[in-house]
Short mmCIF file of all heavy atoms in Angstrom, two decimals:
data_model
loop_
_atom_site.label_atom_id
_atom_site.label_comp_id
_atom_site.label_asym_id
_atom_site.label_seq_id
_atom_site.Cartn_x
_atom_site.Cartn_y
_atom_site.Cartn_z
N LYS A 1 255.30 162.99 141.36
CA LYS A 1 254.21 163.96 141.33
C LYS A 1 253.84 164.49 142.71
O LYS A 1 253.57 165.68 142.88
CB LYS A 1 252.97 163.33 140.69
CG LYS A 1 253.15 162.93 139.23
CD LYS A 1 253.44 164.13 138.34
CE LYS A 1 252.23 165.01 138.17
NZ LYS A 1 252.47 166.11 137.20
N GLU A 2 253.83 163.60 143.71
CA GLU A 2 253.25 163.97 145.00
C GLU A 2 254.28 164.30 146.08
O GLU A 2 253.96 165.01 147.03
CB GLU A 2 252.33 162.83 145.47
CG GLU A 2 251.13 162.66 144.53
CD GLU A 2 250.56 161.25 144.56
OE1 GLU A 2 250.75 160.56 145.57
OE2 GLU A 2 249.94 160.86 143.56
N VAL A 3 255.50 163.81 145.94
CA VAL A 3 256.55 164.14 146.90
C VAL A 3 257.46 165.24 146.33
O VAL A 3 257.68 166.26 146.98
CB VAL A 3 257.37 162.90 147.28
CG1 VAL A 3 258.49 163.28 148.24
CG2 VAL A 3 256.47 161.84 147.91
N LEU A 4 257.96 165.02 145.11
CA LEU A 4 258.79 166.05 144.50
C LEU A 4 257.96 167.21 143.97
O LEU A 4 258.50 168.31 143.79
CB LEU A 4 259.63 165.44 143.35
CG LEU A 4 260.63 164.35 143.73
CD1 LEU A 4 261.43 163.92 142.51
CD2 LEU A 4 261.56 164.83 144.84
N GLY A 5 256.70 166.97 143.67
CA GLY A 5 255.82 168.04 143.21
C GLY A 5 256.13 168.53 141.81
O GLY A 5 255.96 169.72 141.49
N VAL A 6 256.58 167.62 140.93
CA VAL A 6 256.91 167.99 139.56
C VAL A 6 255.61 168.17 138.76
O VAL A 6 254.82 167.23 138.65
CB VAL A 6 257.81 166.94 138.89
CG1 VAL A 6 258.11 167.33 137.45
CG2 VAL A 6 259.10 166.75 139.68
N LYS A 7 255.42 169.33 138.20
CA LYS A 7 254.19 169.62 137.46
C LYS A 7 254.18 168.95 136.09
O LYS A 7 253.21 168.34 135.69
CB LYS A 7 254.01 171.13 137.31
CG LYS A 7 252.71 171.53 136.61
CD LYS A 7 252.54 173.04 136.56
CE LYS A 7 251.22 173.41 135.90
NZ LYS A 7 251.04 174.89 135.83
N TYR A 8 255.29 169.10 135.36
CA TYR A 8 255.36 168.56 134.00
C TYR A 8 256.32 167.37 133.97
O TYR A 8 257.55 167.54 134.04
CB TYR A 8 255.80 169.65 133.03
CG TYR A 8 254.82 170.80 132.94
CD1 TYR A 8 255.21 172.09 133.26
CD2 TYR A 8 253.51 170.58 132.55
CE1 TYR A 8 254.32 173.14 133.19
CE2 TYR A 8 252.60 171.63 132.48
CZ TYR A 8 253.01 172.91 132.79
OH TYR A 8 252.10 173.94 132.72
N TYR A 9 255.72 166.21 133.91
CA TYR A 9 256.46 164.94 133.96
C TYR A 9 255.72 163.93 133.12
O TYR A 9 254.48 163.92 133.08
CB TYR A 9 256.55 164.46 135.42
CG TYR A 9 256.83 162.98 135.60
CD1 TYR A 9 258.12 162.49 135.48
CD2 TYR A 9 255.80 162.08 135.90
CE1 TYR A 9 258.38 161.14 135.66
CE2 TYR A 9 256.06 160.74 136.08
CZ TYR A 9 257.35 160.26 135.95
OH TYR A 9 257.61 158.93 136.12
N ASP A 10 256.46 163.08 132.41
CA ASP A 10 255.80 162.04 131.61
C ASP A 10 256.72 160.84 131.49
O ASP A 10 257.95 160.99 131.43
CB ASP A 10 255.45 162.58 130.22
CG ASP A 10 254.26 161.84 129.62
OD1 ASP A 10 253.12 162.16 130.01
OD2 ASP A 10 254.47 160.96 128.77
N ARG A 11 256.10 159.65 131.46
CA ARG A 11 256.87 158.41 131.37
C ARG A 11 256.23 157.46 130.38
O ARG A 11 255.03 157.23 130.43
CB ARG A 11 256.98 157.74 132.74
CG ARG A 11 257.74 156.40 132.71
CD ARG A 11 257.93 155.82 134.08
NE ARG A 11 256.68 155.35 134.67
CZ ARG A 11 256.12 154.16 134.41
NH1 ARG A 11 256.68 153.33 133.56
NH2 ARG A 11 254.99 153.81 135.01
N TYR A 12 257.04 156.90 129.50
CA TYR A 12 256.61 155.81 128.63
C TYR A 12 257.60 154.66 128.84
O TYR A 12 258.73 154.73 128.40
CB TYR A 12 256.58 156.24 127.16
CG TYR A 12 255.89 155.23 126.28
CD1 TYR A 12 254.52 155.33 126.04
CD2 TYR A 12 256.57 154.15 125.73
CE1 TYR A 12 253.86 154.40 125.27
CE2 TYR A 12 255.93 153.20 124.96
CZ TYR A 12 254.57 153.33 124.73
OH TYR A 12 253.91 152.39 123.97
N ALA A 13 257.15 153.63 129.58
CA ALA A 13 258.03 152.53 130.00
C ALA A 13 259.18 153.13 130.82
O ALA A 13 258.93 153.73 131.85
CB ALA A 13 258.51 151.72 128.81
N ASP A 14 260.44 153.00 130.35
CA ASP A 14 261.55 153.58 131.11
C ASP A 14 262.11 154.83 130.45
O ASP A 14 263.19 155.31 130.85
CB ASP A 14 262.66 152.55 131.32
CG ASP A 14 263.34 152.15 130.01
OD1 ASP A 14 262.64 152.05 128.99
OD2 ASP A 14 264.56 151.94 130.01
N ASP A 15 261.43 155.37 129.46
CA ASP A 15 261.79 156.67 128.88
C ASP A 15 261.02 157.75 129.62
O ASP A 15 259.79 157.75 129.63
CB ASP A 15 261.47 156.72 127.39
CG ASP A 15 262.38 155.81 126.57
OD1 ASP A 15 263.54 155.63 126.98
OD2 ASP A 15 261.92 155.28 125.55
N ILE A 16 261.76 158.68 130.24
CA ILE A 16 261.15 159.62 131.18
C ILE A 16 261.60 161.04 130.87
O ILE A 16 262.79 161.27 130.61
CB ILE A 16 261.53 159.26 132.63
CG1 ILE A 16 261.19 157.78 132.93
CG2 ILE A 16 260.83 160.17 133.63
CD1 ILE A 16 261.75 157.25 134.23
N VAL A 17 260.65 161.99 130.90
CA VAL A 17 260.99 163.40 130.69
C VAL A 17 260.41 164.25 131.82
O VAL A 17 259.31 163.99 132.32
CB VAL A 17 260.49 163.92 129.32
CG1 VAL A 17 261.27 163.29 128.19
CG2 VAL A 17 259.00 163.67 129.15
N PHE A 18 261.17 165.26 132.22
CA PHE A 18 260.75 166.25 133.21
C PHE A 18 260.93 167.63 132.58
O PHE A 18 261.87 167.85 131.81
CB PHE A 18 261.62 166.20 134.47
CG PHE A 18 261.71 164.85 135.14
CD1 PHE A 18 262.55 163.87 134.64
CD2 PHE A 18 260.97 164.58 136.28
CE1 PHE A 18 262.66 162.63 135.26
CE2 PHE A 18 261.08 163.35 136.92
CZ PHE A 18 261.92 162.38 136.41
N PHE A 19 260.07 168.57 132.96
CA PHE A 19 260.21 169.95 132.48
C PHE A 19 260.17 170.90 133.67
O PHE A 19 259.48 170.65 134.66
CB PHE A 19 259.08 170.30 131.51
CG PHE A 19 259.06 169.49 130.25
CD1 PHE A 19 258.31 168.33 130.17
CD2 PHE A 19 259.80 169.88 129.15
CE1 PHE A 19 258.30 167.57 129.02
CE2 PHE A 19 259.79 169.13 127.98
CZ PHE A 19 259.04 167.97 127.91
N ALA A 20 260.91 172.00 133.54
CA ALA A 20 260.92 173.03 134.59
C ALA A 20 261.37 174.35 133.98
O ALA A 20 261.79 174.42 132.81
CB ALA A 20 261.83 172.62 135.74
N SER A 21 261.30 175.39 134.79
CA SER A 21 261.64 176.73 134.31
C SER A 21 263.13 177.03 134.40
O SER A 21 263.59 178.03 133.87
CB SER A 21 260.86 177.79 135.11
OG SER A 21 261.15 177.67 136.50
N SER A 22 263.90 176.15 135.08
CA SER A 22 265.34 176.40 135.20
C SER A 22 266.12 175.09 135.26
O SER A 22 265.58 174.05 135.66
CB SER A 22 265.64 177.23 136.44
OG SER A 22 265.55 176.44 137.62
N LYS A 23 267.39 175.16 134.91
CA LYS A 23 268.26 173.99 134.98
C LYS A 23 268.49 173.57 136.42
O LYS A 23 268.60 172.36 136.71
CB LYS A 23 269.60 174.30 134.31
CG LYS A 23 269.58 174.33 132.80
CD LYS A 23 270.99 174.49 132.26
CE LYS A 23 271.01 174.44 130.74
NZ LYS A 23 272.39 174.56 130.20
N ASP A 24 268.58 174.52 137.33
CA ASP A 24 268.84 174.19 138.73
C ASP A 24 267.75 173.30 139.31
O ASP A 24 268.03 172.36 140.07
CB ASP A 24 268.96 175.47 139.56
CG ASP A 24 270.23 176.25 139.26
OD1 ASP A 24 271.17 175.62 138.71
OD2 ASP A 24 270.28 177.45 139.55
N ILE A 25 266.50 173.60 138.96
CA ILE A 25 265.39 172.76 139.43
C ILE A 25 265.55 171.34 138.92
O ILE A 25 265.38 170.37 139.68
CB ILE A 25 264.04 173.35 138.98
CG1 ILE A 25 263.78 174.69 139.66
CG2 ILE A 25 262.89 172.37 139.26
CD1 ILE A 25 262.55 175.43 139.14
N LEU A 26 265.90 171.20 137.66
CA LEU A 26 266.03 169.87 137.06
C LEU A 26 267.22 169.11 137.63
O LEU A 26 267.16 167.89 137.81
CB LEU A 26 266.15 169.99 135.54
CG LEU A 26 264.88 170.47 134.83
CD1 LEU A 26 265.13 170.62 133.33
CD2 LEU A 26 263.70 169.53 135.08
N HIS A 27 268.31 169.80 137.95
CA HIS A 27 269.45 169.13 138.59
C HIS A 27 269.06 168.60 139.97
O HIS A 27 269.47 167.50 140.36
CB HIS A 27 270.64 170.09 138.70
CG HIS A 27 271.44 170.21 137.44
ND1 HIS A 27 272.20 169.18 136.93
CD2 HIS A 27 271.59 171.25 136.57
CE1 HIS A 27 272.79 169.56 135.81
NE2 HIS A 27 272.44 170.82 135.56
N GLY A 28 268.25 169.35 140.70
CA GLY A 28 267.77 168.88 142.00
C GLY A 28 266.86 167.66 141.85
O GLY A 28 266.96 166.69 142.62
N ILE A 29 265.98 167.70 140.85
CA ILE A 29 265.10 166.55 140.57
C ILE A 29 265.93 165.33 140.21
O ILE A 29 265.66 164.21 140.68
CB ILE A 29 264.12 166.90 139.43
CG1 ILE A 29 263.10 167.94 139.91
CG2 ILE A 29 263.40 165.64 138.93
CD1 ILE A 29 262.22 168.49 138.80
N LEU A 30 266.95 165.53 139.40
CA LEU A 30 267.79 164.41 138.96
C LEU A 30 268.42 163.70 140.15
O LEU A 30 268.42 162.46 140.21
CB LEU A 30 268.88 164.93 138.02
CG LEU A 30 269.90 163.90 137.53
CD1 LEU A 30 269.22 162.80 136.73
CD2 LEU A 30 270.98 164.59 136.68
N GLU A 31 268.95 164.43 141.10
CA GLU A 31 269.59 163.81 142.26
C GLU A 31 268.57 163.04 143.11
O GLU A 31 268.86 161.95 143.60
CB GLU A 31 270.29 164.87 143.10
CG GLU A 31 271.48 165.52 142.40
CD GLU A 31 272.47 164.49 141.86
OE1 GLU A 31 272.84 163.57 142.62
OE2 GLU A 31 272.86 164.61 140.69
N SER A 32 267.37 163.60 143.27
CA SER A 32 266.32 162.92 144.04
C SER A 32 265.88 161.64 143.35
O SER A 32 265.65 160.60 143.98
CB SER A 32 265.13 163.86 144.24
OG SER A 32 265.49 164.99 145.01
N VAL A 33 265.75 161.71 142.03
CA VAL A 33 265.32 160.55 141.25
C VAL A 33 266.36 159.44 141.32
O VAL A 33 266.04 158.26 141.51
CB VAL A 33 265.06 160.97 139.78
CG1 VAL A 33 265.01 159.75 138.86
CG2 VAL A 33 263.76 161.76 139.68
N LYS A 34 267.63 159.80 141.18
CA LYS A 34 268.70 158.79 141.28
C LYS A 34 268.64 158.07 142.62
O LYS A 34 268.75 156.83 142.68
CB LYS A 34 270.06 159.47 141.12
CG LYS A 34 270.45 159.85 139.71
CD LYS A 34 271.85 160.46 139.71
CE LYS A 34 272.34 160.79 138.33
NZ LYS A 34 273.69 161.41 138.35
N ALA A 35 268.47 158.83 143.69
CA ALA A 35 268.44 158.24 145.04
C ALA A 35 267.23 157.33 145.20
O ALA A 35 267.35 156.22 145.76
CB ALA A 35 268.43 159.35 146.09
N TYR A 36 266.06 157.76 144.73
CA TYR A 36 264.85 156.94 144.88
C TYR A 36 264.99 155.63 144.11
O TYR A 36 264.69 154.55 144.65
CB TYR A 36 263.63 157.72 144.39
CG TYR A 36 262.34 156.94 144.56
CD1 TYR A 36 261.55 157.12 145.69
CD2 TYR A 36 261.92 156.01 143.61
CE1 TYR A 36 260.38 156.40 145.86
CE2 TYR A 36 260.75 155.28 143.76
CZ TYR A 36 259.98 155.48 144.90
OH TYR A 36 258.83 154.76 145.07
N LEU A 37 265.42 155.72 142.87
CA LEU A 37 265.53 154.51 142.04
C LEU A 37 266.52 153.52 142.63
O LEU A 37 266.28 152.31 142.66
CB LEU A 37 265.93 154.89 140.62
CG LEU A 37 264.89 155.65 139.80
CD1 LEU A 37 265.47 156.07 138.46
CD2 LEU A 37 263.63 154.82 139.58
N LYS A 38 267.64 154.03 143.15
CA LYS A 38 268.66 153.15 143.72
C LYS A 38 268.19 152.53 145.03
O LYS A 38 268.33 151.31 145.24
CB LYS A 38 269.95 153.94 143.94
CG LYS A 38 271.08 153.10 144.53
CD LYS A 38 272.35 153.93 144.72
CE LYS A 38 273.46 153.09 145.32
NZ LYS A 38 274.71 153.90 145.52
#
């Protein structure tokens, strides 16, 4: 929320959803999320 600045995001345990206006934005989020979790 505060570093990536994702407006529409929700998590229930380890089930997680992100929303955006384009696929490119979500692909960028995906790479950042993978790096943070690892």
Side-chain angles (χ1 to χ4, degrees):
K1 297 297 290 185
E2 295 155 24
V3 178
L4 298 184
V6 179
K7 183 176 181 180
Y8 297 119
Y9 159 80
D10 206 79
R11 178 175 69 83
Y12 191 90
D14 67 323
D15 291 329
I16 306 169
V17 291
F18 305 79
F19 297 92
S21 58
S22 75
K23 285 187 176 181
D24 290 340
I25 294 173
L26 292 177
H27 279 293
I29 291 171
L30 177 62
E31 294 308 312
S32 297
V33 164
K34 283 182 177 179
Y36 182 94
L37 291 175
K38 180 180 179 180

